[in-house]
Amino acid sequence: MQNYQNKELILIPKPTLDRLKLYHRFLNEIDFEYVSSEIMSQRLGVSPEQIRKDFTYLKTMGKPKVGYHVETLRKELDELFGVRKTTKVILVGAGHLGKALVNYPGFTQYGIEIVAVFDNDKEKIGKFVNDLAILPMRDLRRVIKRFEVEIGIICVPKESAQQVANLLLTNGIKGIWNFAPVRLLVPDDVFVVDEDMIQSLLTLKHYLELKKQKEKHE
Amino acid sequence: MQNYQNKELILIPKPTLDRLKLYHRFLNEIDFEYVSSEIMSQRLGVSPEQIRKDFTYLKTMGKPKVGYHVETLRKELDELFGVRKTTKVILVGAGHLGKALVNYPGFTQYGIEIVAVFDNDKEKIGKFVNDLAILPMRDLRRVIKRFEVEIGIICVPKESAQQVANLLLTNGIKGIWNFAPVRLLVPDDVFVVDEDMIQSLLTLKHYLELKKQKEKHE
DNA sequence: TAGATTGTTAATCGATTAACAATC
DNA sequence: TAGATTGTTAATCGATTAACAATC
């Protein structure tokens, strides 16, 4: 589950932005020349009106009776999500989750490159995750400066998450993807996206429970 | 990032439900006897009015001039999220991410137990993740029946995700937590929660980009 | 031309915020 | 009692849905 702590600065509404990403993925999977809102609707479970409304936030326009030019749409969404230019990120915490993220395919495909992995466990430092050596925390500053990193991923236990966040911020990080189940305290100009793994499962559990109860009452 | 494919059956609005989970976590971290909406607001970045409004979906009531009884609230939220009774889930796909999830602490704390891990890679079958042996797909049916599993986690590559989903559904699974970046086609009575790792990072990227542009214009 | 599909405006829906009376 | 904090109603805001004219 993803939460947003900062809510200003939003030009495209967040729900629309999320759907645009869904459309983007879909457009990358098909090879038609044109696609209509009706067809996308059937495949993605979003109403055609919604899709057309969402596209009004883009420059690309559709042709009546034909639909939207796939390649044009794809290009504009590539641009919107900055797929072309690589964004360099660092990751702190080389536990199971950290390793999984470094190994996650698809990041590169979306222009995201993990340039370094940090940990404070001496046992881990020097070892490799993929082809990245695990670095000690004291190298943080140097790496951030050198690669002009703006985004940091926090995969440490919740006890040390705030501390790591502070360290990232003092070294110039402006965006944090936080996997630790705590709400981080950060200045207003820093974006934090919380990824709470447990929340998702709790939501599933909750809806299934609700459904059972509903069935009982019928 | 989490998306919901099924939207019926919702008694508590989803935004409220998400915040209730935030409150729940907070209540587990403090040891006051009473807590006011004002104090929670300061710690969680949610307005006090919002918090009080959210609590109207619960039975627990606050005392004017005192606040909410922490223990009572905690208990009711425990109940709401089914923390007490264990939910058994299975996981398909013993890659890096799958392993990370099996090792994720906190699941048990929230009454979630991964009872089995499946993979179709002969190399992996028989090996262990934590203390769970990786099982072949043909054992799926048996395990689901035996443990009365209702939720399945899909951590396989996107190419085989739909196939795995079908298999889960024919064996009675009613909820899927999907880590593969594809939209799964499922019957209406099945809940799917999509966890798209890339979307979160794209969102961060997008907001940072926006901020830069905004600063340029000033 | 007739018909399909877009883009946009208006109506509806739902969630958040504001205001304030109730009350401990 | 006076004051703080709740619970609830009304007002606002924002997003979705519906309707339909524009147009290829």
Side-chain angles (χ1 to χ4, degrees):
Chain A
M1 163 155 312
Q2 191 192 37
N3 291 319
Y4 300 92
Q5 293 192 13
N6 306 62
K7 307 210 166 164
E8 0 142 21
L9 289 177
I10 296 167
L11 293 176
I12 298 179
K14 176 169 146 21
T16 297
L17 199 61
D18 288 347
R19 284 190 300 270
L20 285 173
K21 273 174 264 169
L22 190 67
Y23 308 152
H24 184 232
R25 199 170 67 188
F26 171 73
L27 294 168
N28 276 310
E29 282 168 6
I30 58 172
D31 58 355
F32 318 145
E33 197 177 346
Y34 285 89
V35 68
S36 70
S37 55
E38 183 56 39
I39 289 193
M40 289 184 63
S41 172
Q42 283 163 21
R43 296 276 215 102
L44 297 172
V46 177
S47 78
E49 298 84 358
Q50 181 78 82
I51 293 174
R52 276 179 274 142
K53 184 78 174 185
D54 288 341
F55 283 168
T56 61
Y57 288 95
L58 305 177
K59 281 172 293 190
T60 307
M61 304 216 100
K63 283 189 194 166
K65 220 184 153 178
V66 182
Y68 299 86
H69 186 66
V70 173
E71 191 54 29
T72 310
L73 262 185
R74 191 151 46 192
K75 283 247 179 71
E76 185 171 1
L77 289 172
D78 273 359
E79 193 64 33
L80 180 71
F81 295 122
V83 166
R84 298 295 176 79
K85 58 174 152 180
T86 306
T87 299
K88 288 170 180 173
V89 307
I90 54 170
L91 186 150
V92 183
H96 291 285
L97 189 60
K99 283 181 197 162
L101 288 173
V102 174
N103 279 287
Y104 200 65
F107 278 155
T108 44
Q109 187 194 335
Y110 272 87
I112 289 156
E113 187 193 355
I114 298 180
V115 295
V117 178
F118 297 88
D119 206 297
N120 66 358
D121 180 349
K122 279 169 193 161
E123 294 281 307
K124 287 179 182 166
I125 291 168
K127 290 196 176 142
F128 282 77
V129 186
N130 266 10
D131 52 355
L132 290 175
I134 298 174
L135 304 176
M137 296 301 282
R138 65 166 182 277
D139 290 358
L140 204 61
R141 171 166 224 102
R142 186 176 55 77
V143 171
I144 290 176
K145 296 288 171 244
R146 171 154 171 219
F147 292 100
E148 297 183 330
V149 177
E150 292 189 324
I151 294 178
I153 307 176
I154 296 183
C155 293
V156 302
K158 65 169 189 272
E159 291 72 23
S160 39
Q162 182 66 56
Q163 197 187 333
V164 167
N166 296 343
L167 206 55
L168 291 175
L169 298 181
T170 52
N171 287 299
I173 290 291
K174 288 298 174 200
I176 293 177
W177 191 19
N178 175 37
F179 282 83
V182 278
R183 176 145 291 216
L184 300 174
L185 298 171
V186 301
D188 274 354
D189 66 330
V190 174
F191 280 107
V192 177
V193 175
D194 290 309
E195 193 87 36
D196 188 340
M197 311 295 263
I198 291 165
Q199 279 200 356
S200 302
L201 258 183
L202 283 184
T203 307
L204 249 181
K205 244 180 107 161
H206 179 253
Y207 284 144
L208 286 181
E209 205 59 44
L210 220 66
K211 202 180 114 200
K212 261 191 230 167
Q213 281 170 23
K214 201 188 161 201
E215 284 167 358
K216 222 183 286 177
H217 284 284
E218 276 166 4
Chain B
M1 162 151 312
Q2 190 191 38
N3 290 319
Y4 299 92
Q5 294 192 13
N6 305 63
K7 307 210 165 163
E8 1 143 20
L9 288 176
I10 297 165
L11 294 176
I12 299 178
K14 178 170 144 22
T16 296
L17 199 62
D18 288 348
R19 282 189 302 268
L20 286 173
K21 272 176 265 169
L22 189 66
Y23 309 152
H24 184 233
R25 198 169 69 188
F26 172 73
L27 295 168
N28 277 310
E29 282 168 5
I30 59 172
D31 58 355
F32 317 146
E33 198 178 345
Y34 286 89
V35 68
S36 70
S37 54
E38 184 57 40
I39 290 193
M40 289 185 63
S41 171
Q42 283 163 22
R43 295 279 213 102
L44 297 171
V46 178
S47 79
E49 297 85 358
Q50 180 78 82
I51 292 173
R52 277 179 272 142
K53 184 78 174 184
D54 288 341
F55 283 167
T56 61
Y57 289 94
L58 305 178
K59 280 173 294 188
T60 307
M61 306 216 99
K63 284 188 194 168
K65 219 184 156 180
V66 182
Y68 299 87
H69 187 66
V70 173
E71 191 53 29
T72 310
L73 263 184
R74 192 151 45 191
K75 283 248 177 71
E76 185 173 0
L77 289 172
D78 273 358
E79 193 64 33
L80 180 70
F81 295 122
V83 167
R84 299 293 176 81
K85 59 174 153 178
T86 307
T87 300
K88 290 172 178 171
V89 307
I90 54 170
L91 186 150
V92 183
H96 290 285
L97 188 60
K99 282 182 199 162
L101 288 173
V102 174
N103 279 287
Y104 200 65
F107 277 154
T108 44
Q109 186 195 336
Y110 273 88
I112 289 157
E113 188 193 353
I114 298 181
V115 294
V117 178
F118 297 88
D119 206 298
N120 65 358
D121 180 349
K122 279 169 193 161
E123 294 282 307
K124 288 179 182 165
I125 291 168
K127 289 194 176 145
F128 282 78
V129 186
N130 264 10
D131 52 354
L132 290 176
I134 298 173
L135 304 176
M137 296 300 281
R138 64 166 182 276
D139 290 358
L140 204 60
R141 171 166 224 100
R142 185 177 55 78
V143 171
I144 290 175
K145 295 289 172 243
R146 172 156 169 216
F147 292 101
E148 298 183 329
V149 178
E150 292 189 325
I151 294 178
I153 308 176
I154 296 183
C155 293
V156 301
K158 66 169 189 276
E159 290 73 21
S160 39
Q162 182 63 56
Q163 197 187 333
V164 168
N166 296 344
L167 206 56
L168 291 175
L169 298 181
T170 52
N171 287 300
I173 290 291
K174 288 298 174 199
I176 293 177
W177 192 18
N178 175 38
F179 282 84
V182 279
R183 179 146 286 220
L184 300 174
L185 298 171
V186 301
D188 274 355
D189 66 329
V190 173
F191 280 107
V192 177
V193 175
D194 290 309
E195 194 87 36
D196 188 339
M197 311 294 265
I198 292 165
Q199 279 199 355
S200 302
L201 258 183
L202 283 184
T203 307
L204 249 181
K205 244 182 107 161
H206 179 253
Y207 285 144
L208 286 181
E209 204 59 44
L210 219 67
K211 203 181 115 201
K212 262 192 229 165
Q213 281 171 24
K214 201 188 160 200
E215 283 166 359
K216 223 184 285 174
H217 282 284
E218 274 167 7

